[in-house]
Every structure is written in structure tokens, then in C-alpha cells.
Amino acid sequence: MGKEKKYLVNNSMFVFAVVYIVLLVAVSIALVTIERYGSAVVFALISLPFFLIAFRYGSVVKVGKDGVSLSFLGIKRRFISWKNMAEVDVIGSKVLNRNNTKKCGTLYLIFSLEKLDDEKRFDMMLKWPPKDKIYLKFTKDRLMDLQWFYSNPVEKYNIGMLDI
């Protein structure tokens, strides 16, 4: 049996958000030191959406024998047991390019409590990120780790020419 694994939801998006937060906060601090308080507030406010991005994509998804959990800074936000898992999907984010198999966007593994049809998957990707599901960026290694615990077939939607 496989051992428990932990992953960031999306490493590159998390790093992107943290870099922008650091830059914008540094600019805000520099503006405060030259007494440009209004400009400092503007740059601090511009950094706020990046905190949300860092929160979403810097969360940790833990895949283990009991199920899949989502946490941030050790605080569990969501848990789905394998017994309650309706399906696991691999879905490409660029659903509007479905006819072009080379442009499927970022692929995500999505853990769901409900069965999804193509229409629900399409709507979910248009209203990204899903509020009631656990998701993380897809890699073949993550899928292989997942299959130690989840024996049902993984559903596929808009994955282009990827063969899983």
C-alpha cells in the first residue's frame, strides 16, 4: 500500500503570487519611507488579490488511506473520504478550446462528492475555482500516487492528447 502524500495545489501559481506579494509590499514600504502614504496604500491594496491566489494555490492537498484533505497552514479546510468519493477527474482548464487538442490548458485532478457529466464539468471550469471540490495540478506522478488509494477509473474531460 502507498504512503500518504502531500502536494501544493499548484506550485507555479503559488510562487507567482508570493513573488508579486513581496514586490508589491516592498514598494509599499518604500513609499511609506518617502512619505507617499496614498501611493503606499494603493500598492498594498493591489497586493490583496495575490494573497487570495497564494491561499488557493498554496493550500496543501493530502492524499492518504482515509481520503483526500485540503488544508492551509495546517488548518484543514475540506476532507473527502474514499468511501464518499463519487469520482476523480482529470480536466483541462481551457474548455473553450475543446476542438484544439493541443490547447487544453492546465490539467487538474479534481476530487468530487458527486458524479459530473460533461455539462457540469464545463460549467465548473468556467466558474473556476470550484468551491465544493478538492483540486490540484495534474502530473503523472500524482496520478500514480493517487491510484494506490483509489481503484476506480479516473474520468477525463478536455485533456487533449494526454494518454492516462
Side-chain angles (χ1 to χ4, degrees):
M1 191 101 195
K3 64 179 186 173
E4 184 174 272
K5 297 283 188 164
K6 294 181 182 181
Y7 311 101
L8 284 179
V9 169
N10 187 331
N11 300 8
S12 56
M13 289 294 287
F14 176 67
V15 169
F16 161 80
V18 169
V19 166
Y20 270 88
I21 290 167
V22 169
L23 290 173
L24 291 167
V25 169
V27 169
S28 292
I29 292 169
L31 288 168
V32 167
T33 62
I34 61 171
E35 298 179 1
R36 300 289 309 253
Y37 302 113
S39 299
V41 168
V42 168
F43 276 92
L45 290 174
I46 292 171
S47 72
L48 291 179
F50 294 100
F51 278 99
L52 180 61
I53 293 169
F55 173 73
R56 283 190 179 143
Y57 293 107
S59 292
V60 174
V61 175
K62 184 169 67 172
V63 178
K65 62 180 174 48
D66 297 327
V68 180
S69 65
L70 178 70
S71 61
F72 187 78
L73 298 176
I75 300 167
K76 192 180 284 189
R77 295 175 35 213
R78 198 169 296 126
F79 175 78
I80 302 175
S81 69
W82 295 118
K83 182 174 51 176
N84 295 332
M85 186 86 58
E87 70 180 27
V88 175
D89 296 272
V90 176
I91 299 180
S93 61
K94 290 191 176 180
V95 292
L96 298 178
N97 285 332
R98 285 181 43 207
N99 294 334
N100 187 346
T101 57
K102 294 180 182 175
K103 294 185 178 183
C104 57
T106 303
L107 297 176
Y108 285 95
L109 276 167
I110 299 175
F111 304 91
S112 178
L113 288 168
E114 64 175 321
K115 289 275 189 194
L116 301 173
D117 58 17
D118 283 354
E119 185 178 332
K120 286 182 181 178
R121 290 183 185 103
F122 182 82
D123 289 343
M124 176 182 61
M125 295 313 289
L126 286 181
K127 298 173 185 169
W128 189 260
K131 308 284 186 258
D132 58 340
K133 294 168 183 47
I134 298 176
Y135 57 91
L136 71 151
K137 188 174 180 181
F138 170 85
T139 66
K140 286 199 176 199
D141 291 338
R142 291 176 177 186
L143 180 62
M144 289 172 58
D145 292 340
L146 165 72
Q147 290 175 334
W148 280 101
F149 306 104
Y150 185 75
S151 58
N152 295 337
V154 174
E155 300 295 325
K156 303 167 211 75
Y157 180 75
N158 190 43
I159 62 169
M161 298 188 306
L162 180 68
D163 183 33
I164 57 171

